[in-house]
Amino acid sequence: MNSRSLDRLGIATVAVVVGFSLTVSLYHMLAHDAQLLATVFGQWSLVALSLVFGAVGYYALRTVDAANGGRIVGLRAGAGYVLAGLASAGYSLHQHLTPEAALELDVILFQATFMALIGGIAGTVVGLETARRKQSISDLEATTRRLESIQADIRSEKRRFESLFQNAPSAIADLRYADGEPTVERANDVFETLLEHTSADAEGENLFEVVPLRETETEATVAAHVADNEIYEGEVTVDRADGRGHYKLRVVPYDVGDGDGAGDGEGERAFALYTDVTELRRTQRELSDSVAQLEASNERLEQFAYAISHDLREPLRMVSSYLELLENRYGDDLDTDAREFIEFAVDGADRMRAMIDSLLDYSRVTTRGEPLEPTESAAVLEDVLTDLRPRIEESDATVTAEDLPTVIADADQLAQVFRNLLSNAIKYSGDEPPQIHVGADREGEEWRFAVADQGIGIDPDQHERVFQVFETTHTAAEGSASGIGLALCQRIVERHGGEIWVDSAPGEGATFYFTLPSTDTQVPSMISDVPAHGDERSDRGD
């Protein structure tokens, strides 16, 4: 029912009510010889009642909704019946006050009820239709808004897809498969790098005729994957105008049908993406060659270090032996200066032998190490303290330690780090007995160890220098050593994927920090082909 029909229905209802009321008024005047004013007042009070009750019904139904419709209808209907009762009472009172126009009670009630029903039914019908039409308009408007929103999203997604399609670093072709033949529907601008002409010229052509591959079996393999709605990935070789190119080919089906191989009647659809990996393959080859050269160089260096160690230790041993023999045999004939010179020479030979051993250990950190595995650092430290007990007791040192964690490490190399750091702390303690503390804190996926002393300290400008080979920041009077110990510690820690550094100032002691991976960190094992160097380890300084 449209709005014009509703208007006509309302006008007709009002006309019926008014006409009926006039008819009843005339009948009352003629039949009972009633006064005009009283009759009009009585009959038109029923008209007012009918119109009010109809308006109430109309308003109630046109505003009804699922949430509070029952309450609204109930309140409005209740109000309408109250008004009906008041109007009927008023009309009855009028009839009582004008005996000459008195009617029977049942006639009065019949007139009031009849008039109320007419107005109420009319109002209800009009209100119900208005509410339905209003709801339909509201639903239509909501649907329109949803459609507009969906269309806006579609336009946005289309623009986004088009931007991605045209600006992607890969060459992309939109394909339609018919009878197993991939026909190019469209291609982006990067696709032109595969061709000798524009990408528009490729449209409507077979992809593998436009971009011929050296791997001739690829076309059939790709077609089988598309028919099964599976993504194809593989590396292919393309003969370009500027030379041979290597590409990562990825074919992604997106409209293959319901799984039985039947598409939409126009063939399957797929995207073919060519990612240029020519430069990557060239870099990988160069890197592989460099690694091979580096491995060969390291092997030669290790052989050279071993040769130096083997060839130099024997002459040094002979020098030391003959000097001691000279002292023992002719000691009584030597003066004080001569004996002192012999001591300097023997000490120098011993230091040279220790330096050679240290260099050999330094060169073998990555090649002769044991696998990295869960290691109890507390047990390693306890073994080191046992080895250093004579020096600790001799220097009256105090070494304390917190509860240390289990880490991923080479136990022997971790012991070497502890041994060098503790030896340095004892050596550079100054005039006071050494006070050394070892602790560890968790930082993310690593453990940060700290070896702190209260010794002579290190100048901040020398913090990086102390980790360099043959570098030392202390004088001979302070106990300077070969300068390889801390460099060896750094190489060991770096092999474990960690870092080592120092926090110190002159006269305020030094704290050496180093990090090792926790047991829940994935660290590749570094397994040696040859057993670790088994010579006795000597204490080394910085």
Side-chain angles (χ1 to χ4, degrees), residues 424 427-429 455-459 462 465-466 471-481 486 504 506 510 512 541-542:
N424 283 353
K427 182 182 298 183
Y428 303 118
S429 61
I456 61 178
I458 303 172
D459 190 287
Q462 305 296 324
R465 180 185 170 194
V466 296
E471 291 290 346
T472 178
T473 62
H474 300 290
T475 64
E478 295 173 326
S480 175
L486 289 179
S504 178
F512 282 88
D542 62 344

Side-chain angles (χ1 to χ4, degrees), residues 402-464:
E402 303 173 0
D403 293 335
L404 300 182
T406 299
V407 294
I408 302 296
D410 177 338
D412 290 340
Q413 291 186 348
L414 178 58
Q416 184 70 67
V417 172
F418 278 135
R419 184 180 292 107
N420 287 358
L421 294 180
L422 291 173
S423 297
N424 283 353
I426 294 173
K427 182 182 298 183
Y428 303 118
S429 61
D431 298 331
E432 299 296 328
Q435 301 290 326
I436 307 170
H437 180 73
V438 181
D441 296 312
R442 181 68 180 261
E443 288 189 346
E445 296 184 352
E446 296 180 324
W447 282 97
R448 186 191 67 179
F449 288 81
V451 179
D453 62 56
Q454 300 178 6
I456 61 178
I458 303 172
D459 190 287
D461 294 337
Q462 305 296 324
H463 285 181
E464 295 184 4

Side-chain angles (χ1 to χ4, degrees), residues 13-327:
T13 302
V14 172
V16 169
V17 172
V18 173
F20 182 80
S21 179
L22 290 175
T23 302
V24 173
S25 297
L26 291 175
Y27 171 77
H28 184 68
M29 289 177 60
L30 295 176
H32 301 282
D33 196 19
Q35 297 180 1
L36 177 62
L37 182 60
T39 300
V40 171
F41 174 77
Q43 296 298 326
W44 282 89
S45 64
L46 294 180
V47 175
L49 171 65
S50 176
L51 296 177
V52 168
F53 193 69
V56 169
Y58 170 78
Y59 179 75
L61 288 176
R62 73 185 296 268
T63 58
V64 68
D65 55 42
N68 56 4
R71 181 177 60 83
I72 291 177
V73 172
L75 290 176
R76 301 304 189 273
Y81 282 114
V82 170
L83 291 175
L86 291 176
S88 297
Y91 185 69
S92 300
L93 178 62
H94 162 67
Q95 297 296 334
H96 177 72
L97 294 177
T98 54
E100 66 281 5
L103 293 174
E104 298 295 333
L105 180 61
D106 56 347
V107 175
I108 298 174
L109 293 177
F110 171 77
Q111 291 179 348
T113 303
F114 185 74
M115 297 298 289
L117 287 176
I118 292 178
I121 292 173
T124 300
V125 172
V126 175
L128 180 62
E129 180 62 21
T130 302
R132 188 189 66 79
R133 183 169 59 87
K134 181 179 179 181
Q135 185 63 41
S136 298
I137 294 174
S138 177
D139 293 343
L140 181 60
E141 292 175 348
T143 302
T144 302
R145 288 192 296 270
R146 286 196 298 270
L147 290 175
E148 291 175 348
S149 177
I150 292 173
Q151 290 176 346
D153 291 341
I154 292 174
R155 288 192 296 269
S156 177
E157 289 297 325
K158 185 176 180 180
R159 288 193 299 269
R160 191 157 40 233
F161 168 77
E162 189 65 23
S163 176
L164 177 63
F165 183 81
Q166 292 296 343
N167 298 293
S170 300
I172 305 176
D174 188 3
L175 308 177
R176 181 183 299 279
Y177 266 84
D179 299 328
E181 181 176 340
T183 302
V184 178
E185 292 283 311
R186 59 186 300 231
N188 65 353
D189 295 338
V190 184
F191 195 80
E192 295 182 5
T193 60
L194 298 172
L195 310 173
E196 298 180 356
H197 38 265
T198 65
S199 57
D201 296 334
E203 297 179 2
E205 301 294 332
N206 184 304
L207 174 67
F208 296 108
E209 293 179 359
V210 174
V211 187
L213 307 179
R214 285 182 172 266
E215 299 80 8
T216 56
E217 71 280 359
T218 301
E219 181 174 358
T221 305
V222 170
H225 278 72
V226 172
D228 294 336
N229 198 21
E230 295 178 352
I231 296 175
Y232 170 83
E233 290 184 348
E235 188 166 325
V236 296
T237 306
V238 179
D239 289 328
R240 303 181 307 197
D242 58 350
R244 181 180 300 177
H246 299 278
Y247 290 85
K248 200 78 172 180
L249 174 59
R250 181 181 176 90
V251 181
V252 183
Y254 68 90
D255 188 10
V256 184
D258 56 6
D260 59 358
D264 57 3
E266 298 181 359
E268 296 87 357
R269 301 297 298 270
F271 283 115
L273 294 86
Y274 292 82
T275 303
D276 193 348
V277 294
T278 305
E279 189 66 21
L280 176 62
R281 293 294 172 262
R282 185 186 64 80
T283 303
Q284 287 177 337
R285 287 194 299 271
E286 293 178 353
L287 180 60
S288 179
D289 294 341
S290 298
V291 170
Q293 294 174 3
L294 182 60
E295 290 176 348
S297 175
N298 287 340
E299 184 177 355
R300 290 193 295 269
L301 286 175
E302 184 177 347
Q303 293 173 353
F304 176 72
Y306 181 80
I308 290 178
S309 174
H310 181 271
D311 295 343
L312 290 183
R313 272 191 286 187
E314 182 62 22
L316 286 173
R317 187 188 66 80
M318 291 181 62
V319 170
S320 299
S321 298
Y322 278 104
L323 287 172
E324 292 175 357
L325 181 61
L326 179 64
E327 183 179 17

Side-chain angles (χ1 to χ4, degrees), residues 362 365 417 420-421 463-469 484-501 513-515:
Y362 183 84
V365 167
V417 172
N420 287 358
L421 294 180
H463 285 181
E464 295 184 4
R465 180 185 170 194
V466 296
F467 294 104
Q468 298 176 8
V469 179
I484 300 179
L486 289 179
L488 180 61
C489 290
Q490 183 181 49
R491 190 167 173 83
I492 291 173
V493 171
E494 288 177 348
R495 184 220 170 190
H496 288 68
E499 298 179 350
I500 186 170
W501 68 97
Y513 297 97
F514 63 93
T515 59

